[in-house]
Amino acid sequence: MATTIQPISPAAVDELAALRLELADTSTVELAEELPRMDLAEQALRFRLLHKDRALAVFEELDPVHQQELLDGLKTDFVRELLESMETDDRAKLFDEMPAKVATRFQSQLSASDRRTTAQLLGYEPESAGRIMTPDYVSLRASMTAAAAIERIRHLRERPRHLDVLPVVDGHRKLLGTVTLADLVSADPDTLVTDLIADEHYQVSTDTDQEEAARLIQEANLIALAVVDHEERLVGMITWDDAMEVLEAEDTEDAVRAGGSEPLERPYLSAGVFMLARKRAVWLLVLAVSASLTVTVLNYYETYLANVTVLAVFISLLTGTGGNSGSQASVTIIRAMAVGEVRFSDAFRITWRESRVGFLLGVMLAAVGGPVVGFVYGWDIGLIIALTLLVICTWSTFVGSLLPLVAKKVGIDPALVSAPMVSTLCDATGLLIYFSVAALVLGPVLTG
């Protein structure tokens, strides 16, 4: 029995036309933000109504997780065309985030050349410069004239998206430097490309850490950075937009760890409740075990608290102050390390500076808290609180500034020695300082 195809009603045609106009008036960034909030059918409908080039631009703005979801709602032919239109580095990033079986299925749909270049990028170490570079670039020979170079670019069958910076190589593909498209266009046609090479150029190898490469692009104000293999042969370019994505991801990772959690590695609304709990549970357990030090210290000085019960009133105040001052120092140093402002060789200068900062903070807090406490609870207790605040602030800022430096030196991510860890450590040591000062001031009264 033949299937009867129902004609599309005029109303439906009008609705699609109105939706197409609405999409045309919406920016690419806005579409990329709103699509993941819709159900899969709505996403696919709107995406198919976009012009091919606009659809590709929107797709590349999506996070890999949302890209996978959208691909599930599109037809196979459309998916293959979309994947082949993507830049090689973006396609490799998408496949890297997919389950292995899904990535293999999609990769098998690519042309032989696209499959080869994608596999090449995926063959480099995770989080290396090789993983985020694009092998789609236009290189020039040093012996070419400016006119010949422009003619070569003009007659390219497939033109890369980024042509602002062009690498210059010799006959063995060894990198000699870079020229900008602006210099090439404005130069005399007979000028040799070798005469237009920038006075200084930067390069990284394929196994360089991607954050290091991205920071170099940021600090040197580069549009693109050349990537070479171990024989100094050009293999790709890292563009500024990919570098900014790396820096955003690294800064997000540091911020999350500074809060005592593990990075989600996917958008928040795409993470399940179990994943959110799992990412936080490990740190909570570590901090809970660390906090047992505080309990141990309190048990040891139980006699002090029994003899002078008023000391218990200020435990939270003092440990909180120590933890907060240590956390402030820790976060400041971690950020300074991330942007390359300090390194381990600066450890003495940093700890000496932060200790003085802590001392000044302690003086300020002691000047405020000591007299108030002394007036209410007695001047001997006020003296204990003032001296403890002074010592705790100095000690905590010293510890908070030193631990990230030591962590970096031994190969641990400084963000792991983050504010919660420093705070917990300063709590326990802060109690030792508190009871030691109390014993010094009160003497036999405290020990009974």
Side-chain angles (χ1 to χ4, degrees), residues 226-300:
V227 182
V228 298
D229 61 16
H230 294 293
E231 296 179 2
E232 299 293 314
R233 293 177 302 186
L234 180 69
V235 291
M237 301 286 287
I238 299 176
T239 54
W240 66 270
D241 53 334
D242 290 326
M244 294 307 104
E245 287 184 7
V246 169
L247 294 180
E248 180 184 6
E250 294 290 343
D251 289 345
T252 299
E253 181 179 296
D254 289 346
V256 171
R257 283 180 171 161
S261 183
E262 280 298 301
L264 292 177
E265 299 173 354
R266 58 169 51 212
Y268 174 78
L269 292 177
S270 298
V273 173
F274 179 78
M275 173 180 282
L276 291 172
R278 180 167 54 85
K279 292 292 185 178
R280 301 175 190 179
V282 175
W283 267 108
L284 285 177
L285 291 173
V286 170
L287 294 175
V289 172
S290 302
S292 64
L293 293 173
T294 304
V295 176
T296 303
V297 174
L298 285 173
N299 286 336
Y300 183 80

Side-chain angles (χ1 to χ4, degrees), residues 184-390:
L184 205 60
V185 172
S186 60
D188 186 277
D190 295 327
T191 303
L192 293 178
V193 168
T194 188
D195 296 328
L196 299 174
I197 294 178
D199 293 334
E200 61 177 3
H201 74 275
Y202 302 88
Q203 66 184 52
V204 293
S205 64
T206 52
D207 57 2
T208 300
D209 184 86
Q210 62 183 23
E211 183 181 4
E212 181 182 337
R215 292 285 178 202
L216 178 58
I217 290 177
Q218 182 187 51
E219 293 170 4
N221 296 317
L222 303 177
I223 299 175
L225 176 65
V227 182
V228 298
D229 61 16
H230 294 293
E231 296 179 2
E232 299 293 314
R233 293 177 302 186
L234 180 69
V235 291
M237 301 286 287
I238 299 176
T239 54
W240 66 270
D241 53 334
D242 290 326
M244 294 307 104
E245 287 184 7
V246 169
L247 294 180
E248 180 184 6
E250 294 290 343
D251 289 345
T252 299
E253 181 179 296
D254 289 346
V256 171
R257 283 180 171 161
S261 183
E262 280 298 301
L264 292 177
E265 299 173 354
R266 58 169 51 212
Y268 174 78
L269 292 177
S270 298
V273 173
F274 179 78
M275 173 180 282
L276 291 172
R278 180 167 54 85
K279 292 292 185 178
R280 301 175 190 179
V282 175
W283 267 108
L284 285 177
L285 291 173
V286 170
L287 294 175
V289 172
S290 302
S292 64
L293 293 173
T294 304
V295 176
T296 303
V297 174
L298 285 173
N299 286 336
Y300 183 80
Y301 289 103
E302 185 178 1
T303 304
Y304 287 19
L305 294 175
N307 291 334
V308 185
T309 55
V310 72
L311 292 177
V313 174
F314 303 101
I315 287 177
S316 296
L317 167 68
L318 296 173
T319 55
T321 300
N324 289 335
S325 57
S327 298
Q328 288 177 334
S330 173
V331 170
T332 301
I333 300 306
I334 288 172
R335 184 58 186 164
M337 293 172 67
V339 297
E341 294 177 354
V342 299
R343 58 190 68 174
F344 185 77
S345 59
D346 301 316
F348 177 78
R349 292 176 59 194
I350 293 169
T351 52
W352 172 235
R353 175 189 292 261
E354 286 297 326
S355 296
R356 286 180 292 164
V357 171
F359 181 81
L360 289 176
L361 291 172
V363 169
M364 180 185 69
L365 293 175
V368 174
V372 173
V373 173
F375 181 77
V376 177
Y377 295 96
W379 295 110
D380 52 352
I381 301 299
L383 178 60
I384 292 172
I385 299 304
L387 290 175
T388 302
L389 285 170
L390 182 63

Side-chain angles (χ1 to χ4, degrees), residues 31-283:
L31 279 175
E33 290 177 350
E34 292 301 321
L35 277 179
R37 296 178 176 274
M38 304 174 186
D39 61 50
L40 191 55
E42 287 289 322
Q43 289 185 45
L45 172 62
R46 281 164 171 73
F47 195 77
R48 284 195 293 264
L49 289 176
L50 296 173
H51 184 271
K52 177 183 174 181
D53 293 338
R54 184 88 189 285
L56 177 61
V58 171
F59 188 79
E60 290 184 339
E61 286 292 326
L62 296 173
D63 289 303
V65 173
H66 295 144
Q67 288 177 335
Q68 294 177 53
E69 293 173 352
L70 183 55
L71 290 177
D72 291 338
L74 299 174
K75 294 181 179 179
T76 303
D77 292 342
F78 194 96
V79 169
R80 181 172 59 250
E81 184 178 358
L82 185 63
L83 291 175
E84 290 188 342
S85 299
M86 294 178 70
E87 291 191 34
T88 306
D89 56 321
D90 291 331
R91 186 167 57 239
K93 180 181 178 182
L94 171 59
F95 287 173
D96 193 28
E97 298 286 339
M98 288 180 172
K101 290 183 178 179
V102 178
T104 302
R105 175 165 57 86
F106 281 131
Q107 202 165 348
S108 65
Q109 298 175 13
L110 300 174
S111 64
S113 60
D114 287 335
R115 191 162 57 246
R116 184 177 62 257
T117 54
T118 303
Q120 177 190 351
L121 294 191
L122 291 173
Y124 292 111
E125 288 294 321
E127 299 192 1
S128 67
R131 275 291 182 101
I132 61 170
M133 72 179 184
T134 174
D136 305 322
Y137 58 87
V138 179
S139 61
L140 305 175
R141 292 290 183 88
S143 58
M144 299 174 73
T145 63
I150 293 173
E151 196 67 17
R152 165 172 161 70
I153 296 170
R154 184 179 291 121
H155 288 89
L156 287 172
R157 187 175 63 178
E158 293 185 8
R159 190 174 303 165
R161 185 176 300 179
H162 299 282
L163 286 171
D164 305 276
V165 176
L166 304 166
V168 181
V169 297
D170 62 13
H172 302 286
R173 278 185 34 233
K174 289 194 174 183
L175 182 68
L176 301 177
T178 58
V179 299
T180 64
L181 184 61
D183 288 344
L184 205 60
V185 172
S186 60
D188 186 277
D190 295 327
T191 303
L192 293 178
V193 168
T194 188
D195 296 328
L196 299 174
I197 294 178
D199 293 334
E200 61 177 3
H201 74 275
Y202 302 88
Q203 66 184 52
V204 293
S205 64
T206 52
D207 57 2
T208 300
D209 184 86
Q210 62 183 23
E211 183 181 4
E212 181 182 337
R215 292 285 178 202
L216 178 58
I217 290 177
Q218 182 187 51
E219 293 170 4
N221 296 317
L222 303 177
I223 299 175
L225 176 65
V227 182
V228 298
D229 61 16
H230 294 293
E231 296 179 2
E232 299 293 314
R233 293 177 302 186
L234 180 69
V235 291
M237 301 286 287
I238 299 176
T239 54
W240 66 270
D241 53 334
D242 290 326
M244 294 307 104
E245 287 184 7
V246 169
L247 294 180
E248 180 184 6
E250 294 290 343
D251 289 345
T252 299
E253 181 179 296
D254 289 346
V256 171
R257 283 180 171 161
S261 183
E262 280 298 301
L264 292 177
E265 299 173 354
R266 58 169 51 212
Y268 174 78
L269 292 177
S270 298
V273 173
F274 179 78
M275 173 180 282
L276 291 172
R278 180 167 54 85
K279 292 292 185 178
R280 301 175 190 179
V282 175
W283 267 108

